[in-house]
Amino acid sequence: MKTLTQRAGLATLAFARPPVVAAVASVAGRHEGAGPLGAAFDRVLTDDLQGEKSWERCEARMLEDAVDLAVQRLGWTAQDLDLLLAGDLLNQIISANFAARSLAVPFLGVYSACASYCQALGIGAALISGGYFSQVGAATVSHHLTAERQLRYPVELGVQRTPTQQWTVTAAGAAVLAQAGKGPRLTHATFGKVVDMGLKDPNDMGAAMAPAARATILRHLDDTGRTFADYDLIVTGDLARVGLNLLTELLAEAGHDPTGRLEDCGVRIYSPEQDVHSGGSGAGCASAVFAAHYYPQLQAGHIRRLLLVATGALHSPTSYQQGETIPTVAHAVAFEAEGT
Amino acid sequence: MKTLTQRAGLATLAFARPPVVAAVASVAGRHEGAGPLGAAFDRVLTDDLQGEKSWERCEARMLEDAVDLAVQRLGWTAQDLDLLLAGDLLNQIISANFAARSLAVPFLGVYSACASYCQALGIGAALISGGYFSQVGAATVSHHLTAERQLRYPVELGVQRTPTQQWTVTAAGAAVLAQAGKGPRLTHATFGKVVDMGLKDPNDMGAAMAPAARATILRHLDDTGRTFADYDLIVTGDLARVGLNLLTELLAEAGHDPTGRLEDCGVRIYSPEQDVHSGGSGAGCASAVFAAHYYPQLQAGHIRRLLLVATGALHSPTSYQQGETIPTVAHAVAFEAEGT
């Protein structure tokens, strides 16, 4: 029965009708607004609640606002979307669920931790390229204070942070993918396998996730027959400094020279003076930094081809407490400037 | 800018090359094994741990086993899958993540609570119909004891259950979708909007979810131009008795006569003597009952056309404690027997 169907054998989807990334938007917290990308975010919060009664409500609102800002840029409302794919880090992804309730659009919740943004973009692009939908939203969010109290410790405890630790960003990013129009195109998606090198330290997730990024990047290059030189930039989601250094080594070992072509959103979002230790992380890191920093460069043609590789740590406090190691994953999507 | 693209205007995907549901498999707990479908499950656990050190590990193992059993039926291994789409109810969907680690196949985590199975099937079918992949796994799981201690109370507390309450099933179900071959086909998918009627009682989720099922069923019928008479059965995921009765009323109000054509997996999985109050629920309910009970009837041609409508409650303990109402969603997929 093995030959029931012919296996594609590829993990990479090459879109026959690559969707346009018609618009993006970002909403960032105060700490992120004080960083090097501060002026590039569409909206920066003035406090951690933004008038909501809880941080969790604020997080859902940020996601909702990011989607609204993106569709408004096209003169649309959220209800003009055929589908929203969204995710976050909270238990039962309540930020995405509550934002989708307000946005009133067909909704699929995605979860691959901080890799969720590329998962959402990849599925959305496949649904548009397949002719099923005309315009699809993809969005993710994280909030430092909800993540800390759920995944680590309540911030009020003042637990000391380790040097390898990352700072969960307060940020949301959204993109609108469309069947036609002007703008950069999403040409490929590579969905990763779960990689677990046996690491157990939830305060060093960059190191845990770097091998997943390596695996997905190599798989993508292999599937597409491309090399590093075919990309102006390969941008990881939130490996931060420790993870990015490790990935650079792992890629060099595999015979690739990523010098000058490898960056990380978690490094990009804060300045070294901001006391975030290794750098940023969080489901909203890749989406907000892509919207604020990389998308404009693709739009202007300063970057011709970019591979965004969002990375996620798939453990939970329960699995950690039960002595499990940290499974990780990376999903990648490739963008091309118009006319490339 | 409104006219950037032409909106499809439909929430329903009609697959140009509908994938075959080439194989399914189910793994059930002891309580489920003692119910009316006991003999139909592929495997029934002999205890709540199945040799694992925690209920959470057991849950991940059940999901893994369900996928393995399904692919073995085709003479394959899990690594013959191009992609696995899977989800569960645990925080950060760790059961799916850990199962995907063992199965070593590209993996996308889905979350729409107990609607996750239809979400996974719908995305998987779109990816196959679009020509991206040849064979995709879709699977979900839930475990009574992990769900109780995470979402409600530790069972050791012996908290009294309300009459409207549902019993989270210990069950996993998996399906293999393939580009070609023999078997029932998955012809359509309808992704729902989030529906929230303002209900707040997490012990009455059937009532909360029934309006979401109504919305998705009506949307599906409207999009496809079909009526209830076009389906031998419309099967909801886990409304249980309270929710199914409410849905029947809601559909009658909307002018539909679902008599004899509407069933619910959460009603089907237990006998009234099993003291489960309203009936079963859980992410594994729809997937396991579909595999054990409905798929064989589609395969034999006794059912020609079936709409599976999995329903999910999208709240979390945190959102409940913060006074939020319960957002819900329903996703539907349509199956046709071979030669229909």
Side-chain angles (χ1 to χ4, degrees):
Chain A
M1 293 277 286
K2 186 82 171 206
T3 54
L4 179 67
T5 59
Q6 191 65 37
R7 275 203 71 197
L10 300 178
T12 298
L13 295 75
F15 299 116
R17 291 172 287 183
V20 174
V21 188
V24 296
S26 58
V27 176
R30 286 182 301 167
H31 199 43
E32 294 69 25
L37 303 182
F41 295 119
D42 292 300
R43 186 175 291 170
V44 175
L45 306 190
T46 50
D47 66 27
D48 298 322
L49 284 168
Q50 203 187 7
E52 300 291 339
K53 65 183 178 179
S54 70
W55 298 327
E56 286 77 11
R57 282 299 312 157
C58 176
E59 182 174 331
R61 175 71 184 282
M62 290 173 68
L63 186 65
E64 193 184 324
D65 287 353
V67 174
D68 270 333
L69 287 168
V71 293
Q72 281 164 20
R73 200 152 271 163
L74 300 165
W76 303 349
T77 66
Q79 289 80 48
D80 290 316
L81 296 173
D82 295 311
L83 180 74
L84 173 68
L85 291 142
D88 61 86
L89 298 178
L90 295 190
N91 298 341
Q92 289 73 54
I93 58 166
I94 47 170
S95 305
N97 298 341
F98 282 93
R101 180 179 69 178
S102 304
L103 294 166
V105 56
F107 165 63
L108 295 177
V110 298
Y111 188 82
S112 47
C114 308
S116 299
Y117 186 54
C118 286
Q119 174 175 343
L121 286 169
I123 296 172
L127 293 174
I128 289 179
S129 180
Y132 301 113
F133 292 129
S134 299
Q135 42 243 25
V136 172
T140 51
V141 66
S142 49
H143 191 299
H144 183 74
L145 295 168
T146 66
E148 286 297 307
R149 73 172 165 194
Q150 178 192 274
L151 296 166
R152 298 185 186 94
Y153 301 98
V155 285
E156 295 86 343
L157 270 178
V159 171
Q160 196 168 9
R161 306 178 71 249
T162 70
T164 54
Q165 202 165 341
Q166 297 172 239
W167 185 274
T168 305
V169 305
T170 300
V176 177
L177 303 177
Q179 208 172 56
K182 294 184 89 64
R185 287 181 181 270
L186 200 168
T187 59
H188 297 77
T190 305
F191 298 133
K193 293 184 188 184
V194 175
V195 173
D196 188 334
M197 303 300 282
L199 300 189
K200 284 194 170 188
D201 182 1
N203 297 318
D204 188 6
M205 293 202 291
M209 298 190 296
R214 171 193 181 277
T216 297
I217 291 170
L218 295 184
R219 182 72 192 248
H220 175 84
L221 297 177
D222 198 44
D223 282 354
T224 56
R226 293 179 174 178
T227 68
F228 257 84
D230 290 308
Y231 284 97
D232 296 320
L233 274 181
I234 292 187
V235 179
T236 49
D238 59 349
L239 293 180
R241 256 170 285 278
V242 173
L244 185 62
N245 289 341
L246 182 54
L247 175 62
T248 306
E249 282 179 38
L250 292 172
L251 290 170
E253 274 178 23
H256 292 273
D257 179 11
T259 314
R261 295 180 187 271
L262 187 63
E263 296 189 358
D264 180 73
C265 298
V267 172
R268 183 60 69 179
I269 194 167
Y270 299 116
S271 65
E273 296 72 40
Q274 285 187 287
D275 193 27
V276 293
H277 298 212
S278 184
S281 68
C285 186
S287 60
V289 173
F290 177 75
H293 185 66
Y294 295 109
Y295 179 82
Q297 296 180 65
L298 276 162
Q299 213 175 17
H302 301 149
I303 298 175
R304 303 302 301 171
R305 207 186 258 171
L306 183 148
L307 186 70
L308 183 66
V309 189
T311 46
L314 301 179
H315 67 302
S316 78
T318 300
S319 71
Y320 169 71
Q321 286 157 11
Q322 292 183 348
E324 289 288 346
T325 53
I326 301 178
T328 65
V329 76
H331 302 305
V333 290
F335 301 95
E336 281 184 9
E338 208 172 353
T340 299
Chain B
M1 295 278 286
K2 186 81 169 209
T3 54
L4 179 68
T5 59
Q6 192 65 39
R7 276 203 70 196
L10 299 178
T12 298
L13 294 75
F15 298 116
R17 290 173 286 183
V20 174
V21 188
V24 296
S26 59
V27 176
R30 286 182 300 168
H31 199 42
E32 295 68 26
L37 303 182
F41 295 118
D42 293 298
R43 185 175 294 169
V44 175
L45 307 191
T46 50
D47 66 28
D48 298 322
L49 285 169
Q50 203 188 6
E52 301 290 341
K53 64 183 179 180
S54 70
W55 297 325
E56 286 77 11
R57 282 299 312 158
C58 176
E59 182 174 332
R61 176 72 184 283
M62 289 173 68
L63 186 65
E64 194 184 323
D65 287 353
V67 174
D68 270 334
L69 288 168
V71 294
Q72 281 163 19
R73 198 152 272 165
L74 299 165
W76 303 350
T77 67
Q79 290 80 50
D80 289 316
L81 295 174
D82 295 312
L83 181 73
L84 173 68
L85 292 141
D88 62 85
L89 298 178
L90 295 190
N91 298 340
Q92 289 74 56
I93 57 165
I94 47 170
S95 305
N97 299 341
F98 282 93
R101 182 180 67 178
S102 304
L103 294 166
V105 56
F107 165 63
L108 296 177
V110 297
Y111 187 82
S112 47
C114 309
S116 299
Y117 186 54
C118 286
Q119 174 175 342
L121 286 169
I123 296 172
L127 292 174
I128 290 179
S129 179
Y132 301 113
F133 292 130
S134 300
Q135 42 243 29
V136 172
T140 51
V141 66
S142 50
H143 190 300
H144 183 74
L145 295 168
T146 67
E148 285 298 306
R149 73 173 164 191
Q150 179 192 278
L151 297 165
R152 298 185 186 95
Y153 301 97
V155 285
E156 295 85 344
L157 269 178
V159 172
Q160 196 170 10
R161 305 177 72 249
T162 70
T164 55
Q165 202 165 340
Q166 297 172 240
W167 185 274
T168 306
V169 305
T170 299
V176 177
L177 303 177
Q179 208 171 55
K182 295 184 88 64
R185 287 182 178 269
L186 200 168
T187 60
H188 298 77
T190 305
F191 298 133
K193 293 184 187 184
V194 175
V195 173
D196 187 335
M197 304 301 282
L199 300 190
K200 284 193 171 189
D201 182 1
N203 296 320
D204 188 6
M205 293 202 291
M209 297 189 298
R214 171 192 181 277
T216 297
I217 292 170
L218 295 184
R219 183 69 193 252
H220 175 84
L221 296 178
D222 198 44
D223 282 354
T224 55
R226 293 180 175 177
T227 68
F228 257 84
D230 290 309
Y231 284 96
D232 296 319
L233 273 182
I234 293 186
V235 180
T236 49
D238 59 350
L239 295 180
R241 257 171 284 278
V242 173
L244 185 63
N245 289 342
L246 181 55
L247 175 61
T248 307
E249 282 179 36
L250 291 171
L251 290 170
E253 274 178 21
H256 291 272
D257 179 12
T259 315
R261 294 180 187 272
L262 188 63
E263 295 190 358
D264 181 73
C265 298
V267 172
R268 182 62 66 180
I269 194 167
Y270 299 116
S271 66
E273 296 71 40
Q274 286 187 286
D275 192 28
V276 293
H277 298 215
S278 183
S281 69
C285 186
S287 59
V289 173
F290 177 75
H293 185 67
Y294 294 109
Y295 180 83
Q297 296 180 65
L298 275 162
Q299 214 176 16
H302 301 151
I303 298 175
R304 302 300 303 170
R305 207 185 257 171
L306 182 148
L307 186 69
L308 183 65
V309 188
T311 47
L314 301 179
H315 67 302
S316 79
T318 300
S319 70
Y320 169 72
Q321 285 157 11
Q322 291 183 349
E324 289 289 344
T325 53
I326 301 177
T328 64
V329 77
H331 301 305
V333 289
F335 300 95
E336 281 183 9
E338 208 173 353
T340 299

